[in-house]
Amino acid sequence: MLLEVRSLSTAYSGLLAIQDISIDVAENEIVVVAGANGAGKSTLLKSIAGMERPRSGSVTLDGARLDGLPGHVITQKGVAYVPENKRLFPRLSVADNLRLGSYLHRAAADREAPLERVFALFPRLKERLPQRAGTLSGGEQQMLAIGRALMTRPRLLMLDEPSQGIMPKLVDEIFDAITTIRATGVTILLVEQRLAESLSIADRAYVLQTGRLILQGPAANLRDDPEVRRAYLGL
Ligand code: ATP
């Protein structure tokens, strides 16, 4: 397994937001984490990314422990995380936002190399290099956030609700891009509210409910099981 999460629990002011979560992500998979608002999906990604410190449990990437390390070190080890709020630098240009991503790349040499791949993925970004990030549309900002994450040349890319606040036409572009990114050898862990779309591009899925893992399986099984669709996915 590329990513192994074991019995992970994370609390905010003593209240557990995720409890005893174990998930696996194999090299080159797309894995979806689903669940209602407040189920703990973002907390799980933040705990893997080093943005929140788990209370117990472990996270390993290719067998090496990540939990307890600071976020920037986890990035350097090959885990990129695009949070729900994207955390772009709104007053900086598109070009500078991308460049900042490359400084966290594991090897300092050849920092510009992934840029062409980002432009191939999102040609809109290339057209808008001098534009301030804060003036981009919601969809373009999401593309920039994903592009910046790719500049770190991750092995694992974690995306928190990339389709949120984006007009429908661009949502398809984002989902297509995720599939293309996987085809370049990057493993994807995706949190999404748009279940039909995300299950259609994913290999496997996990469902969280009030901080606990209640269901897991191949994406196609979850998508096609009427009981699961009704009871857990709201489809
Ligand atoms: P959403 O889809 O609404 O983002 P989620 O499944 O990602 O939901 P989390 O954001 O992980 O869920 O939240 C899980 C629980 O932890 C919620 O009860 C939430 O209120 C709480 N929580 C999240 N962040 C914090 C925080 N910084 N401080 C205190 N409680 C928090």
Side-chain angles (χ1 to χ4, degrees), residues 10-13 15-18 34-46 52 84 160-161 164 191 193 208 211:
T10 302
Y12 300 108
S13 334
L15 279 176
L16 284 167
I18 54 168
N37 287 332
K41 307 178 298 292
S42 300
T43 302
L44 174 61
L45 294 196
K46 286 179 193 164
E52 295 291 346
E84 212 168 345
D160 197 344
E161 301 206 9
Q164 207 193 35
V191 162
Q193 298 275 359
L208 297 186

Side-chain angles (χ1 to χ4, degrees), residues 22-213:
S22 296
I23 70 168
D24 288 322
V25 183
E27 187 105 47
N28 219 24
E29 270 193 314
I30 297 179
V31 172
V32 169
V33 177
N37 287 332
K41 307 178 298 292
S42 300
T43 302
L44 174 61
L45 294 196
K46 286 179 193 164
S47 303
I48 296 168
M51 309 275 295
E52 295 291 346
R53 208 183 175 90
R55 164 188 283 198
S56 56
S58 67
V59 179
T60 59
L61 187 78
D62 229 356
R65 283 293 277 269
L66 295 183
D67 51 281
L69 299 176
H72 70 276
V73 175
I74 292 176
T75 308
Q76 283 166 351
K77 288 185 177 292
V79 177
Y81 165 57
V82 180
E84 212 168 345
N85 59 14
K86 304 180 204 78
R87 289 168 124 241
L88 295 169
F89 298 95
R91 302 180 70 88
L92 296 185
S93 67
V94 168
D96 285 341
N97 270 277
L98 288 172
R99 215 165 282 143
L100 283 165
S102 70
Y103 285 114
L104 282 173
H105 175 44
R106 284 171 281 163
D110 211 10
R111 281 197 170 129
E112 302 287 313
L115 206 52
E116 286 309 318
R117 254 160 68 176
V118 171
F119 292 155
L121 198 60
F122 301 122
R124 280 159 183 272
L125 292 183
K126 192 170 186 175
E127 293 161 13
R128 290 165 192 280
L129 283 176
Q131 189 173 331
R132 282 188 185 189
T135 64
L136 295 172
S137 75
E140 289 161 355
Q141 290 192 21
Q142 188 62 55
M143 292 174 190
L144 179 55
I146 295 172
R148 187 179 59 178
L150 290 174
M151 293 297 287
T152 69
R153 292 201 236 180
R155 297 182 68 188
L156 175 69
L157 176 64
M158 301 196 295
L159 302 170
D160 197 344
E161 301 206 9
S163 76
Q164 207 193 35
I166 294 182
M167 60 189 222
K169 192 173 139 295
L170 291 191
V171 169
D172 291 342
E173 253 181 74
I174 297 286
F175 278 99
D176 287 348
I178 294 170
T179 310
T180 307
I181 293 166
R182 183 256 285 272
T184 66
V186 179
T187 304
I188 313 264
L189 183 57
L190 173 67
V191 162
E192 251 304 330
Q193 298 275 359
R194 288 178 183 264
L195 272 167
E197 289 97 330
S198 56
L199 288 176
S200 71
I201 64 164
D203 301 299
R204 292 186 305 108
Y206 292 92
V207 182
L208 297 186
Q209 195 174 59
T210 53
R212 290 180 180 275
L213 195 59

